[in-house]
Amino acid sequence: MTSTRGRDNAREIAIRSELHRRGLRFRLHQRLLKMTRRSVDIVFPVARVAVFIDGCFWHGCPIHRTWPKNNAKWWSEKIETNIARDRDTDRRLVELGWTIVRVWEHDKIDKAADQIERTVRTRASRCNLRPSIDRAQGQLARDGSS
């Protein structure tokens, strides 16, 4: 368990690379909630989209959830606490005007990137903004102009 990286793991890097390839620009591991140690994996600040890449074991994936047999009660409480914390984080960020995207580690990279890109671009268009795009396409316009 200690060898599982909480951030910058292979899955997260693959999703970030795909998003970058699609021209989206973002921030990493930002703490959007004051007075907490909770951080968001990928942040699109202009569109106000927060992306979490959740591990199936640690965050209780309904498809791949497994319960260790050793120290089962402790692990059950630990994972249930993680799930409750995720829900609380989502609720608090939504109250602050953020849109939340949660991706499971088992999701295909291109499908996860599709979901994230669609959310970011939809959110940006509703706010009359362009999402952060690469310099070859132009600078970021907050007022919707080029």
Side-chain angles (χ1 to χ4, degrees), residues 21-137:
R21 189 186 67 72
R22 293 176 184 209
L24 296 171
R25 301 298 179 258
F26 43 83
R27 303 254 180 211
L28 302 176
H29 310 295
Q30 299 288 299
R31 290 186 178 167
L32 301 178
L33 297 173
K34 304 278 188 219
M35 308 297 286
T36 70
R37 292 179 29 209
R38 303 172 193 179
S39 66
V40 180
D41 297 322
I42 303 172
V43 179
F44 296 89
V46 174
R48 293 184 69 82
V49 175
V51 179
F52 295 90
I53 302 169
D54 293 337
C56 291
F57 176 78
W58 296 107
H59 296 272
C61 170
I63 297 170
H64 300 110
R65 177 185 296 174
T66 59
W67 299 108
K69 291 180 179 34
N70 292 336
N71 210 359
K73 184 175 187 272
W74 185 88
W75 279 109
S76 175
E77 290 172 3
K78 168 69 176 158
I79 294 169
E80 292 299 330
T81 300
N82 289 350
I83 293 168
R85 184 182 317 111
D86 291 344
R87 289 183 183 140
D88 180 62
T89 299
D90 291 353
R91 180 188 57 77
R92 291 169 67 179
L93 286 171
V94 166
E95 287 173 0
L96 293 172
W98 289 86
T99 297
I100 310 303
V101 177
R102 285 201 175 264
V103 175
W104 290 108
E105 71 177 338
H106 67 261
D107 291 342
K108 294 186 185 301
I109 300 298
D110 57 336
K111 297 288 185 188
D114 288 346
Q115 178 187 6
I116 295 165
E117 180 180 21
R118 186 173 44 253
T119 302
V120 169
R121 294 196 188 280
T122 299
R123 201 39 207 205
S125 68
R126 284 185 188 155
C127 299
N128 200 26
L129 304 169
R130 289 190 336 206
S132 297
I133 58 176
D134 65 19
R135 286 177 185 77
Q137 294 175 328

